Amino acid sequence: MSAVDNITNLTKYLVTIPPSNYSILTMTFLSFIVGVIAAYLDPKVSLFDSIVYGGSTGFLIFGLTSIMDGAITQPIINSMEGRRYMKMKHSMFISLLTMILISIVYIVGSLISKFTVYSYIIDALILGCVLAFGLRTFIIWGTSNIGAVRSIIISAFQPILILSMVVVIVFLTSISTNIGPFSIIAMALKGIVAGLILMIAIYSFILVIESPIRRNLGVGGLELLSLFLAQYSEGSKAMERLFEDMGEPIDTLVGVISFKTKNGIKGLFISPCVHPGPVGNIGGGNMPTLLADSFDTFTMVSHGPSTHDFNPVNSREICKIKKVVENALEDMEYSKVASPFMQVESENAKLGVQYFGDNLIILATFAPLGFDDIDFGVGLSLIKTIQGRTQAENVVLVDCHNSFKGESGRVLPGNPEVFQLLDAAEKLEKADQEEFKMGCANDPIKELDKKSGVGESGVKVMVLEVGGQKTAYIILDANNMVIGFRDEILNAVKKTGVDFAEAMTTDTHFVNNLSGGHNPLGTRNQDIIIAKIVECTKKAIDDLEPVTAGVKLAKISKINTLGPTHSTELVTTISSIVAVSRIFAPLVFVLALLFVFIWVFYWTI
């Protein structure tokens, strides 16, 4: 599993933050209900008083103070200029979350007190506030990156407001409550000491996970987390600065096919051996769309053989790919003839092949079996094998990336799939060629978005006609597709009159800042996607006209990527931290909570 996937997989633990007004209404309602329940547990309080006075007291103690906390936390954190900008909805949601925690502990204390001689209500309230303080510290420190001391101070706002409100209600009103008299000094002492115990545990845990990341990668673990969350929730590119520091320059390839009419270039087909990752809009995450939109003509960007090791460290690196493509177009030789589309197989490997003069394009897939990225080294060896077999001058290799299996499906050196590809390549033969036509069409599929696995480029279709044979090249801006969806697409497209077709994905990671880190096409809205593909194929057939084709396999020099060294270092570091945390975290926090519990409930107030 790649380092980036280890990070993006954390999104399955994230939730969609509701708008601020939802959190405020929820805090108002829940705090009122908590007050009613707590008051009703007191046998001396009537049902009417429980609803009217108990509910009002609950709102004042829990709801109003939590709303106040949410309102002041957001501007204070943003004034400290941390790595991540906090929105009001984030601040309100944190207050809601910790209010629920305090309320649960408070209700449990009230319930236990109903059946015991001693009242544990205030002790439970203090315990709930301390637990909320610890949770708030962990969240604010980990996501805002404003430092430990500032995070601790801000995290204390809500507990202090709640306990202060309790003091005000008890001493300044005559409302009948189930709280009873208590010592303010003793309450403060309990809260402060319990908070210190929890802070020591949190700081110890953070220190353990921070040290290896900072030593190996030069960045703190909480900083890494805050950068990732900023990208996930806001589309921030701040994480690119981290990747720039870690990145290393590599040399790779890009395949370019240009189709030209008498009026100029009609369309481009590009296959860069650069991975469109790591996630969202960071690095090359949206590379297929950014690269295609940088040209003034119809441009299809496919997925060349590459893995996450070849993720660009920032989106500016895509300009290097564009420059190489432009240089290739300047000295490109065009051919008037092309061969019919052919297919060769060896076990599970399938190669779709089409010649353009002394050059050819290769579409590699293992569908309907699942697979993922084909490693660059594997792709390079396949290109060299095909060049030796066919004497082709340029070979443009495409990893169709069209049958999702997950990380275990990567085709890496030494895998059996490598030899299947090479054996299939040995079956290639020369083919007769003749003049041909090309037509193209595209649809951004505005009806769908990345939640459906569809990137900004939607679907693009190119149809080639050679000697009456029509072949549809279909590229969907998506990160792979569910197993079996490719076959459904091909069956639908062949009804338009094409003889062969291949459905590919760009492997865009623009759609990947979603739960679980993966979002293959076809998990939803299959009918809409297929209808758009069929419509584009028909338009491409109607657009057929005579063209010539130029092919070039060009070298990209010193493009800065995450690189195999740092990719391995990152995943190793994260994996070791996860392993240690599974042992260290329960030990530290269970002991801390035990000490906090004993301290809070040992002395009575």
Side-chain angles (χ1 to χ4, degrees), residues 442-443 445 447-448 459 461 474 476 485 488-490 492-493 496 525-539:
N442 70 284
D443 191 316
I445 317 185
E447 298 87 341
L448 304 179
V459 59
V461 178
I474 304 163
L476 294 137
F485 189 41
E488 294 184 35
I489 293 173
L490 299 189
V493 167
T496 64
N525 303 121
Q526 289 193 5
D527 293 342
I528 296 177
I529 296 169
I530 290 177
K532 292 293 185 180
I533 294 172
V534 170
E535 181 181 349
C536 279
T537 303
K538 291 178 180 179
K539 290 181 179 179

Side-chain angles (χ1 to χ4, degrees), residues 250-255 270-278 283-285 287-288 291 301-314 317-322 324 373-374 376 397 506-509 554-562:
I250 64 165
D251 290 349
T252 185
L253 300 171
V254 57
I270 303 173
S271 181
C273 296
V274 179
H275 194 268
M287 181 183 72
L291 183 58
V301 178
S302 64
H303 179 39
S306 56
T307 64
H308 278 282
D309 294 342
F310 282 21
N311 284 328
V313 295
N314 58 56
E317 296 299 310
I318 299 173
C319 297
K320 296 180 180 179
I321 305 175
K322 178 189 177 184
V324 171
D373 296 332
I374 298 176
F376 174 72
L397 176 62
T506 62
D507 193 21
T508 179
H509 280 52
K555 179 181 176 182
I556 307 174
S557 298
K558 296 182 179 179
I559 181 171
N560 292 315
T561 65
L562 190 59

